[in-house]
Amino acid sequence: MSGRAVFMLVFLPFALGHYLSSLIRTVNATLAPQLMAALALTSGQLGLLTSAFFLAFALAQLPVGMALDRWGPARVQPPMLLLAALGALAFSGGRDFAELLVARALIGLGLGGCFMSAVKAVSTWIAPARLPSVQGYLIAAGGLGAASATLPVRLALHYTDWRGLFVGLAAAAACLALLIWLVAPSTPPASSSSSTARPASLAVLREVFRHPAFREVAQLVMVPHMVFFGIQGLWISRWLSDVAGFSEAAVTYLLYLGMAAVIFGAIAVGMITEWAGRRGVAPISVAAAGVALFIAVQLGFVLNWAPSFQLLSVVFTLVGTVTGIEYAIVAQSLPPSLTGRGATCLNLLIFLGAFAMQAGFGLVLGCWRPDALQHYPAQAYQVAFGVLVLLQLRGLFLFARRRWGAAPQSGRIDYPSGNPATSPPITR
């Protein structure tokens, strides 16, 4: 297909799916005050309710990833979106914590294939050398969705309540399912033959887990990615309210700036990775530098860096977009028949971890008593962020020891540099 056709029929429909998934994943950060008031939720319950999305999302990864490699994203994604639409309708009608918890999990299950479908689609139709930039644009679409969950949602709440909002999200998911079913091309036979000839079994997933490039990038970037998803989707907003003392309107505005920063950050990461690749710098090294900067930003939360609370909240999301680079590294490193299952393995671990991070952060805060307005003290957030920093430092330390320590250099892993001559071929 021509470049224009690839954009209109492949990239755009699946990018819209990732946009919608990011919007729904993040919307509870804006709706938290309404949800807590309507259901009298504690911090632990709010964290569990929001993180149920991640748990269900993770449970969908294995079957959806196998289905993607067997039937392709054009056939797998529409029914998944319809399931998400059903979950959104159930959420809009939920009357207690248990009903909303089940509905939120159903939404996560239905949206579990959005990003994987997009990764599989672009990996099938776009040359490997272009993957870092194109996947950067894809992550930027997710950032736009997350940004839409802030100020636009707050404006929408002037005309409806959170229940009506979820009715609208259900309609959007159903319409997108129809769009993909009508316009998305099927996976080319040459691209799908190698995957369908092999059994869709856990043995193939073990092959992905054992791939050295997958293991190294997972060890370095996966925990920061879990932190980014788990904290950005809920607790940054509560930190801005509880510690920084901003009003609800100011928090929504800062969330909007932070999510908008994801768009520019994702595009910049893709461009920097390609630029570095042309100069012989492997993507894993770019990832290591980004992870180090991301941890440094979180130290600002640990130290309660008062001079610029606003800057901390925005830079957290801006720098955190570097964690998305692991999808491009895995897509470049694995054979085409395993790209869907490679994204599956990443998503499985990332979203299980994001569930633990988001729910666990709330449990740590719950060790302190909130004030009359249900605001938790700064010390609670400092301890919670300190735990996150310690969890991430291990992967960065191990990477540094492998690359610059006394370990034998023969054990190093070579990654595609972004040059088509050195990147693995992709079946068209």
Side-chain angles (χ1 to χ4, degrees):
M1 293 190 296
S2 66
R4 180 177 297 178
V6 169
F7 175 79
M8 295 298 297
L9 303 181
V10 177
F11 177 83
L12 188 58
F14 291 103
L16 286 174
H18 185 45
Y19 166 90
L20 183 64
S21 176
S22 298
L23 191 163
I24 296 177
R25 188 189 75 227
T26 314
V27 72
N28 276 15
T30 302
L31 299 179
Q34 289 82 1
L35 293 174
M36 293 184 76
L39 301 172
L41 300 178
T42 66
S43 65
Q45 289 176 318
L46 179 64
L48 182 60
L49 174 62
T50 306
S51 63
F53 178 98
F54 290 121
L55 180 59
F57 201 105
L59 294 177
Q61 300 311 296
L62 294 181
V64 171
M66 293 177 182
L68 285 174
D69 279 338
R70 186 172 182 86
W71 294 297
R75 295 176 61 185
V76 173
Q77 183 71 333
M80 298 290 292
L81 284 169
L82 291 178
L83 182 62
L86 180 62
L89 278 178
F91 196 94
S92 69
R95 296 298 173 183
D96 56 35
F97 173 73
E99 290 180 1
L100 293 184
L101 186 68
V102 173
R104 177 78 175 172
L106 189 61
I107 294 171
L109 192 65
L111 296 178
C114 286
F115 187 70
M116 284 194 302
S117 294
V119 169
K120 180 65 177 179
V122 301
S123 298
T124 300
W125 294 96
I126 294 174
R130 293 287 299 156
L131 284 180
S133 287
V134 174
Q135 292 190 4
Y137 301 143
L138 180 61
I139 295 173
L144 184 60
S148 300
T150 56
L151 277 180
V153 165
R154 182 173 172 80
L155 292 175
L157 292 176
H158 292 161
Y159 305 96
T160 185
D161 59 2
W162 61 270
R163 297 184 186 277
L165 177 67
F166 272 91
V167 171
L169 292 174
C175 290
L176 184 55
L178 178 62
L179 175 66
I180 293 176
W181 182 73
L182 290 175
V183 307
S186 300
T187 303
S191 177
S192 59
S193 61
S194 58
S195 60
T196 56
R198 307 176 67 177
S201 65
L202 292 178
V204 181
L205 295 179
R206 286 196 295 268
E207 180 182 344
V208 174
F209 278 114
R210 290 171 179 171
H211 196 286
F214 180 90
R215 294 178 64 179
E216 185 172 35
V217 72
Q219 188 178 67
L220 172 66
V221 188
M222 189 163 291
V223 175
H225 207 154
M226 296 171 182
V227 170
F228 177 60
F229 273 1
I231 305 307
Q232 166 250 350
L234 177 63
W235 294 117
I236 286 294
S237 68
R238 304 312 304 155
W239 178 85
L240 285 169
S241 176
D242 294 358
V243 178
F246 291 113
S247 66
E248 186 177 334
V251 168
T252 304
Y253 178 69
L254 288 170
L255 287 178
Y256 174 78
L257 291 181
M259 302 311 177
V262 172
I263 302 171
F264 299 101
I267 295 173
V269 168
M271 295 175 64
I272 291 171
T273 303
E274 288 192 5
W275 174 84
R278 290 193 294 268
R279 286 155 179 79
V281 179
I284 193 70
S285 297
V286 177
V291 167
L293 184 57
F294 186 52
I295 293 174
V297 172
Q298 293 170 67
L299 286 174
F301 293 94
V302 176
L303 299 175
N304 206 26
W305 190 50
S308 188
F309 283 145
Q310 304 98 314
L311 182 63
L312 272 180
S313 66
V314 175
V315 173
F316 178 88
T317 53
L318 175 66
V319 178
T321 56
V322 75
T323 58
I325 196 176
E326 60 187 332
Y327 290 102
I329 296 174
V330 169
Q332 287 180 323
S333 303
L334 296 180
S337 61
L338 293 179
T339 53
R341 275 164 280 200
T344 293
C345 294
L346 283 177
N347 277 346
L348 174 64
L349 297 176
I350 289 169
F351 283 95
L352 281 176
F355 164 76
M357 297 292 178
Q358 197 167 78
F361 199 96
L363 292 176
V364 172
L365 295 185
C367 295
W368 279 261
R369 186 183 300 274
D371 61 19
L373 297 176
Q374 294 299 306
H375 293 165
Y376 287 84
Q379 184 183 12
Y381 286 90
Q382 288 177 285
V383 171
F385 275 108
V387 172
L388 297 182
V389 167
L390 291 177
L391 291 174
Q392 296 166 84
L393 280 176
R394 179 180 179 273
L396 189 63
F397 170 76
L398 292 176
F399 174 83
R401 189 176 67 175
R402 281 193 306 269
R403 291 287 163 144
W404 298 291
Q409 293 300 303
S410 59
R412 290 182 59 180
I413 301 170
D414 292 327
Y415 293 86
S417 63
N419 187 327
T422 59
S423 298
I426 190 166
T427 305
R428 293 287 197 139

